[in-house]
Amino acid sequence: MVKVKICGLKSISTVKYAVRCGVDYIGFVFFEKSPRFVDIYSARKLTDLVPAEIKTVGLFVNASRRHIEKVSKEARLDYLQLHGQETPEQVGKLKDLLGIPIIKSIGIAEKSDLEQVKEFEDTCDQLLIDTKASTSMKLPGGNGIVFDWGLVSDFHFECPWLLAGGLTSKNVIKAIRISGANQVDVSSGIEKKFGVKDPKKMSEFIEVVKNDGKSRK
């Protein structure tokens, strides 16, 4: 069964709905420039709504170690997702300090970008393979842009990974079949406007992914 991560939730109603729909991971964005940003106080109220079998993920972009430590403890996060220019050395030190599993985002635009995978596989617990952000984009991810899934179709990952980048209920099954992903991450593809989640799109996305997983058993 393919797992689903929904990123950028920031309201009680959407978190409760995602839980009812059967999501596997719920991501909270702690990057202030994002329209999906939540503060520590709000995040703590939201993570309290998430049952133990669903993992909570905190997304950070080039944040200080002190800030990540404070947020992860107060918001009680299960995973950290690093979406900036963090180095393998920085990731390793952070993991040793906090003892929390880490997901590192890697932007892909061409085959050579996959060289970064080898740099992080020994340090990270999971990788997030996303569309590489251009210099004109304000956000490092969640921009609703698809990359060529064929770039990872024959690539061997040594650690678990999630596919992201412009996924919707209409293209996610094709993306899974081409890329070979068994975990997917969605944000903009389930929004009615930038930063605002659409419950209908959320349920449709999860249903499509889960039903396809059942049909392939």
Side-chain angles (χ1 to χ4, degrees):
M1 183 75 72
V2 177
K3 292 185 177 181
V4 176
K5 175 177 175 284
I6 288 181
C7 195
L9 297 186
K10 56 182 184 179
S11 71
I12 289 174
S13 60
T14 53
V15 169
K16 286 183 175 180
Y17 193 68
V19 170
R20 290 201 302 271
C21 288
V23 73
D24 300 286
Y25 304 86
I26 294 179
F28 302 101
V29 177
F30 298 98
F31 179 51
E32 292 188 5
K33 294 181 180 180
S34 171
R36 306 171 183 111
F37 169 75
V38 291
D39 57 36
I40 300 177
Y41 174 73
S42 299
R44 176 56 186 270
K45 291 195 297 183
L46 296 176
T47 57
D48 283 345
L49 302 172
V50 182
E53 64 269 20
I54 299 173
K55 301 306 178 184
T56 57
V57 182
L59 187 155
F60 301 87
V61 180
N62 300 323
S64 69
R65 193 184 309 175
R66 180 176 296 180
H67 176 65
I68 294 174
E69 181 177 16
K70 178 179 175 64
V71 174
S72 63
K73 289 181 178 179
E74 294 192 18
R76 298 196 300 191
L77 300 172
D78 296 313
Y79 280 86
L80 305 178
Q81 180 176 319
L82 305 181
H83 224 295
Q85 283 76 51
E86 301 87 3
T87 65
E89 293 73 24
Q90 289 172 323
V91 171
K93 289 179 181 179
L94 189 62
K95 186 175 177 180
D96 290 341
L97 174 67
L98 301 181
I100 298 176
I102 291 179
I103 301 169
K104 179 69 179 81
S105 173
I106 295 178
I108 303 296
E110 54 190 39
K111 201 76 171 179
S112 61
D113 291 320
L114 287 166
E115 294 174 7
Q116 298 176 73
V117 170
K118 299 303 180 185
E119 297 176 12
F120 285 97
E121 279 183 323
D122 292 337
T123 306
C124 298
D125 298 272
Q126 300 204 47
L127 298 173
L128 182 88
I129 306 303
D130 199 355
T131 303
K132 189 173 186 176
S134 68
T135 54
S136 63
M137 295 177 186
K138 295 181 179 180
L139 301 177
N143 295 298
I145 299 174
V146 173
F147 71 93
D148 179 3
W149 305 312
L151 293 173
V152 296
S153 62
D154 59 351
F155 189 83
H156 179 68
F157 291 89
E158 296 288 349
C159 70
W161 63 285
L162 302 97
L163 179 69
L167 299 179
T168 69
S169 61
K170 292 180 173 58
N171 68 12
V172 66
I173 299 306
K174 182 177 181 181
I176 290 168
R177 289 174 178 167
I178 293 174
S179 69
N182 59 17
Q183 301 188 104
V184 292
D185 185 341
V186 63
S187 185
S188 61
I190 54 168
E191 292 179 340
K192 52 188 171 184
K193 64 179 182 179
F194 200 42
V196 180
K197 295 295 185 277
D198 184 323
K200 183 179 179 181
K201 290 183 178 180
M202 188 188 304
S203 62
E204 285 177 350
F205 186 92
I206 295 173
E207 184 177 2
V208 164
V209 173
K210 298 296 184 179
N211 284 342
D212 182 71
K214 291 177 182 177
S215 70
R216 289 189 289 167
K217 285 186 177 180

